[in-house]
Every structure is written in C-alpha cells, then in structure tokens.
C-alpha cells in the first residue's frame, strides 16, 4: 500500500489526469499538486490514486527498474497504487 | 543499457558497503531502526543486511499501517458491515488481517458481506454515488502520505452532499510513534533494544517535510536520515547515520533530497489540517495507547465521520495467543523469536498482522528466506 508508483501523465482534465505506466492506464487525482504546474509528458509519483510529487524521467525510470526486478522475482505484485 | 545500469548498481553497492565497513567503529554497535515497512522490504529483498559488518544491525520498526492497527479496530469495521449493513471500502492490504473470533474482512466477504477493495478514495466516492440507497463507509488507514487523499474525499463528499458516504478514520502519525518507541520502558530501562539512529520514511516525509523530526532528534539525541526506498538509498543512509554517530551528532539529514524538503507538501498539509484534528490517544498494536498519535475527523465534518454516525464503540481485543507481533513491532523481538512463525503462521494463513502485509517484518523474513540461515545479528542481545 505504501509504495509510490511513477507514472507518465497523458491527459489532464481539471484535477484529474489520465496516467500510464507499463501499458496500464489509470485516472489519478492531481489535487495535491495544484500549486505546481503539471502537463502531459511529465512524470508523477502516484500514491493510492493521487499524484504526490513530480519526478524527473530519470527518477521514474530508475524506480521502475527496481520494480521490474521485484516483479520478475516475486510474481504478481500488490497492485494497490 | 539495462545491464550496464545493473552492473553499476552492484558496483556502487559494493563501494558503499566498503565505506561502511571502513567507517563503522568495530568497538561499538550500531542499531539502526528503519521505521517504514518499505525499507524493511528493500533490506530483505536485496539482502542489504548481508553487506553490513556484523556490528551494524537493522531493527524493524512499527511503520506498517496494516501491522499497527489493533484488532479492536478491525472488529469495529466488521461490526459496521454486520450490524449496520454498510458497503465497506478498504485498501486491499486490510482484507486478510485476522480479527477476533477467527474472522477477517475477507472471510465475511466470502460469507456475503459487501466489502469492496479500492485503489483510491476516489473509487470509494464512486461506489457511494452508484449506491445512493446504501451507506458506504471508507475504512481509512495509513500514515501521513495516505491521509491527504482521505481528506480530499471528505471534502468532496461535503461539496457533493454525498449523504450516504462516511469515513472510519484510523490515520496515524509517524513522529508520535517514534517518540513512543524511544520512551518505552524496554528501550529506556531494560536496555534489551537500544536504538542508535533512525531511517525516516521518504514518502511520508515528502508530505510532512523533514521539520517534524527535528524536535525528537534534538530531544532524544538520535540522528535521523530520511531515506529513499531503493537499496542504494538505504545503504547510503546507513553510512550517513554511522558518520553522525561517530561524530557524536544527532541531526536530521536528508538522503532523499530529490523529493523531500523541510516544509513538505504544504497543500496536502493544509487539506489534512482542515479536515482532521489530533486524537487525545489511540491504541497501536505493539505500542499500546499512544497520546496524540492519530487523527480524528473535525467537528465541522462530523456528519461524514462513521464513528459518530454509527456510534462505533471502543473495543479492546487481544492478539492471537502466542503471537509476538507487539514485540516485533517495537523492535524488541525478531520474527524468528515467535513460536508461531513459519509453523502455524505463514503468508498463506497469517495469524498476526506482521505476516499479512508484504511490508510486515514477518512476511519479509518468510518471503526472502532470511530465517533459513543463522543470522549475523544473533550476537545483538549479548552485545547490547
């Protein structure tokens, strides 16, 4: 539950954003980043359906490499974003 | 490219391990508590303990929200469903946690109770909108990172006049728990576990900032390093803690400068402050009643508080007999000290909360087979 998952912002509609990671798309809330400028193409850290911070593409990539290793070793993950 | 990166990571890990071996004073012990289950997971998954010299120990703390929730609160949630016929929305981790009478949310769901696993508070709101004739309760758990989304949902329900929605709040606070561990009799008097420094959780800190840790770093004279969840982050942070201890410093340092600032996410903080207030006291599994360690919904939003709406009683329920979760959560015992561990208590059939959540210490011990080999840290009790 506590994991933050990096996702890429595809589309923004008000406080809602369509985000993507590993081919999976989800609606996430940008409510907590309303003081920051978020645009399509940015990477954000998602925690229980909410973007809590912006990330650089490098940070997102390195986090996903770790998750990939865990997924390969552990089988299906806890999917609670 | 990927293989180059992996090689580089390994090389960096070896360099960090060498630096730690060089700087750790063989004349002293370093007991470093990782508060957060995410760190526990990283340490076991990557065998970080094996890269440490024998006098550097990781002590696993109570930073898994599923693990620290007392049985009585899960009994309360089950009562909400059984007595008030609500739709209960919960994060998936809670489903398998054992409650009193050999029940769990998953078992009563199998018996026909309407329990929905959600990924976000937005899902819970949607369920409430889709079921206007039913009461929908969101079973809210978690530390500081998970609280703002609950606050958003409460505000949104108020705005939409979503009268059939309410929240059963079990949100807890990290600094209060760390303070409790340092003040607990086991730590102060018996000396059975001495904690020299703390890894601060990075996600929690990205919300609350590093400032809340400054008080107790000063008050208890223990260094705190806010650490990311990757194995290299943990190792780098261990080195920073060892340096502080060697130099007699007790400061709040931030290994995770990428996202944690001193102030944190002020938008999230103001949301929480608007909706929640401190509870006078709250029961934690393993720590007992901890003053001002949890959040309740403010009077202004009382109409959305499930505890008020359904008159949720205080239940004091006991853990499964023989379960050592309370001591494990305080860092006093290890999973292998528990008679139930690996015998009747496994991830498939958990008896205690530390075996349920993948972030719990018992689940991490079991999953990564650490208990199958003698531990280097077996000397800890003798040395402490």
């Amino acid at each position: 539950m506590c994991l933050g998952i990096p996702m890429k912002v595809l589309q923004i509609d008000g406080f809602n954003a369509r985000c993507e990671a590993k081919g999976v798309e989800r609606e996430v809330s940008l409510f907590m980043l309303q003081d920051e400028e978020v645009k399509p193409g940015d990477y954000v850290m998602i925690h229980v359906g909410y973007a809590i911070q912006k990330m650089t593409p490098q940070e997102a990539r390195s986090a996903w490499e770790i998750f990939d290793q865990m997924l390969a070793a552990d089988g299906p993950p806890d999917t609670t974003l | 490219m990927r293989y180059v990166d992996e090689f580089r990571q390994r090389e960096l890990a070896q360099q960090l391990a060498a630096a730690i071996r060089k700087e750790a004073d063989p004349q002293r012990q370093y007991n470093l508590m990782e508060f957060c289950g995410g760190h526990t997971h990283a340490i076991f998954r990557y065998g970080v303990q094996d890269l440490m010299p024998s006098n550097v120990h990781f002590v696993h703390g109570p930073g898994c929200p599923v693990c620290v929730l007392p049985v009585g609160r899960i009994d309360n949630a089950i009562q909400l469903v059984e007595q008030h016929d609500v739709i209960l929305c919960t994060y998936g981790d809670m489903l398998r946690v054992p409650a009193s009478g050999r029940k769990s949310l998953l078992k009563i769901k199998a018996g026909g109770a309407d329990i929905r696993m959600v990924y976000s508070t937005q899902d819970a709101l949607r369920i409430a909108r889709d079921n206007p004739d039913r009461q929908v309760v969101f079973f809210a758990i978690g530390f500081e990172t998970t609280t703002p989304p609950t606050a958003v949902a409460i505000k949104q329900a108020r705005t939409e006049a979503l009268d059939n929605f309410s929240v059963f709040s079990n949100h807890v606070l990290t600094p209060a728990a760390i303070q409790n561990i340092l003040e607990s009799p086991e730590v102060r008097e018996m000396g059975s576990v001495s904690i020299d420094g703390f890894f601060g959780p990075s996600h929690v800190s990205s919300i609350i900032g590093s400032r809340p840790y400054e008080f107790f770093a000063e008050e208890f004279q223990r260094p705190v390093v806010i650490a990311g969840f990757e194995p290299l982050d943990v190792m780098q942070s261990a080195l920073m803690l060892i340096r502080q201890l060697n130099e007699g410093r007790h400061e709040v340092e931030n290994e995770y400068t990428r996202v944690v600032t001193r102030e944190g996410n002020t938008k999230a903080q103001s949301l929480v402050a608007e909706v929640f207030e401190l509870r006078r006291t709250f029961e934690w599994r393993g720590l007992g009643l901890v003053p001002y360690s949890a959040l309740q919904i403010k009077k202004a939003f009382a109409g959305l508080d499930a505890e008020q709406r359904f008159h949720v009683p205080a239940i004091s329920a006991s853990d499964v007999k023989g379960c050592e979760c309370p001591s494990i959560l305080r860092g006093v015992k290890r999973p292998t000290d528990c008679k139930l561990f690996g015998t009747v208590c496994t991830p498939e059939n958990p008896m205690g909360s530390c075996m349920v959540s993948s972030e719990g210490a018992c689940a991490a011990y079991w999953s990564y087979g650490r208990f199958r080999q003698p531990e280097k840290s077996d000397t800890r009790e003798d040395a402490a």
Side-chain angles (χ1 to χ4, degrees):
Chain A
M1 188 185 82
C2 295
L3 279 183
I5 308 285
M7 296 185 95
K8 186 177 182 177
V9 178
L10 300 177
Q11 273 179 326
I12 297 178
D13 177 16
F15 289 135
N16 290 322
R18 190 93 197 141
C19 293
E20 184 271 338
K22 297 269 141 190
V24 176
E25 290 190 19
R26 279 189 62 84
E27 288 291 332
V28 307
S29 169
L30 297 178
F31 202 84
M32 272 180 262
L33 292 183
Q34 55 187 277
D35 296 341
E36 294 188 51
E37 192 198 340
V38 182
K39 52 186 187 309
D42 284 349
Y43 286 86
V44 284
M45 173 80 86
I46 310 296
H47 179 67
V48 290
Y50 288 75
I52 58 171
Q53 68 213 20
K54 283 172 75 170
M55 308 176 82
T56 65
Q58 292 76 22
E59 283 164 4
R61 201 181 67 122
S62 94
W64 267 113
E65 278 172 6
I66 300 272
F67 290 138
D68 282 345
Q69 291 169 26
M70 289 164 81
L71 297 184
D74 299 347
D78 172 358
T79 48
T80 313
L81 292 186
Chain B
M1 189 59 200
R2 180 178 164 152
Y3 296 102
V4 174
D5 284 347
E6 276 179 13
F7 175 74
R8 212 176 115 66
Q9 291 232 340
R10 188 158 303 195
E11 194 178 42
L12 266 172
Q14 296 293 355
Q15 284 170 2
L16 274 169
I20 288 169
R21 276 196 298 275
K22 184 160 162 256
E23 297 194 26
D25 177 356
Q27 302 302 317
R28 65 184 290 179
Q29 299 291 318
Y30 299 87
N31 292 317
L32 311 178
M33 177 174 268
E34 86 274 359
F35 183 82
C36 179
H39 289 144
T40 307
H41 201 87
I43 287 165
F44 282 99
R45 171 76 185 83
Y46 294 97
V48 176
Q49 177 73 68
D50 297 343
L51 295 169
M52 296 289 130
S54 60
N55 58 334
V56 174
H57 314 290
F58 295 111
V59 183
H60 318 304
C64 155
V66 177
C67 306
V68 296
L69 195 66
V71 173
R73 300 294 282 189
I74 304 162
D75 291 348
N76 284 142
I78 289 175
Q79 281 181 355
L80 283 172
V81 181
E82 292 187 332
Q83 294 176 8
H84 300 279
D85 194 32
V86 308
I87 299 177
L88 188 80
C89 302
T90 176
Y91 294 129
D93 317 44
M94 288 309 300
L95 288 174
R96 294 167 65 235
V97 181
S100 297
R102 295 185 168 263
K103 286 182 182 174
S104 70
L105 291 172
L106 193 63
K107 280 184 189 162
I108 67 163
K109 181 179 165 69
D114 200 344
I115 292 171
R116 315 270 182 101
M117 190 179 108
V118 294
Y119 295 109
S120 159
T121 55
Q122 294 296 322
D123 297 343
L125 288 172
R126 196 172 308 126
I127 290 167
R129 285 184 210 112
D130 292 347
N131 296 275
D133 303 332
R134 298 280 308 276
Q135 287 289 327
V136 175
V137 176
F138 176 62
F139 188 9
I141 65 156
F143 286 91
E144 287 85 346
T145 24
T146 321
T147 313
T150 307
V152 172
I154 289 173
K155 285 194 62 174
Q156 227 170 312
R158 163 65 55 84
T159 311
E160 294 178 30
L162 207 52
D163 295 333
N164 62 325
F165 179 80
S166 60
V167 169
F168 179 36
S169 170
N170 294 279
H171 287 299
V172 285
L173 302 169
T174 307
I178 299 187
Q179 188 167 337
N180 179 273
I181 291 165
L182 286 171
E183 286 178 335
S184 81
E186 279 93 347
V187 174
R188 270 184 316 173
E189 291 156 25
M190 295 162 66
S192 57
V193 56
S194 63
I195 298 161
D196 301 307
F198 286 91
F199 297 96
S202 55
H203 289 160
V204 163
S205 310
S206 69
I207 299 287
I208 65 173
S210 61
R211 191 160 41 183
Y213 301 102
E214 289 169 7
F215 161 76
F216 80 71
E218 179 61 32
E219 178 75 14
F220 296 97
Q221 311 214 332
R222 300 289 203 289
V224 178
V225 173
I226 294 166
F229 287 134
E230 295 175 21
L232 289 177
D233 289 327
V234 176
M235 294 183 70
Q236 172 71 34
S237 304
L239 181 60
M240 289 166 76
L241 282 171
I242 289 165
R243 280 186 184 156
Q244 283 210 43
L245 289 164
N246 286 349
E247 293 164 15
R249 290 184 292 130
H250 41 83
E251 294 162 15
V252 178
E253 289 183 316
N254 189 358
E255 186 269 342
Y256 207 59
T257 46
R258 287 178 294 216
V259 290
V260 176
T261 60
R262 185 162 179 269
E263 278 70 35
N265 183 330
T266 48
K267 181 68 207 171
Q269 289 168 21
S270 68
L271 276 167
V272 171
E274 190 182 341
V275 174
F276 289 101
E277 63 189 9
L278 285 174
R279 276 179 206 268
R280 195 174 295 274
T281 187
F282 191 73
E283 187 186 348
W284 292 55
R285 196 188 294 235
L287 304 182
L289 291 169
V290 182
Y292 301 109
S293 63
L295 297 172
Q296 64 191 16
I297 296 167
K298 275 187 174 170
K299 278 216 174 63
F301 293 91
L304 291 151
D305 186 347
E307 288 185 73
Q308 310 267 348
R309 186 176 295 183
F310 300 105
H311 308 288
V312 170
I315 300 177
S316 186
S318 48
D319 288 294
V320 173
K321 204 163 171 258
C323 172
E324 296 282 9
C325 277
S327 305
I328 290 164
L329 288 166
R330 273 182 315 213
V332 177
K333 289 193 175 170
R334 281 191 308 255
T336 42
D337 297 328
C338 179
K339 286 194 185 71
L340 306 185
F341 176 82
T343 54
V344 290
C345 186
T346 59
E348 287 73 34
N349 185 28
M351 293 286 134
S353 56
C354 303
M355 190 61 100
V356 175
S357 167
S358 62
E359 289 153 18
C362 294
Y365 258 62
W366 176 264
S367 303
Y368 300 122
R370 293 286 133 192
F371 61 95
R372 296 195 186 95
Q373 48 192 308
E375 290 194 25
K376 285 191 291 185
S377 54
D378 276 344
T379 53
R380 187 172 88 201
E381 278 77 13
D382 312 329

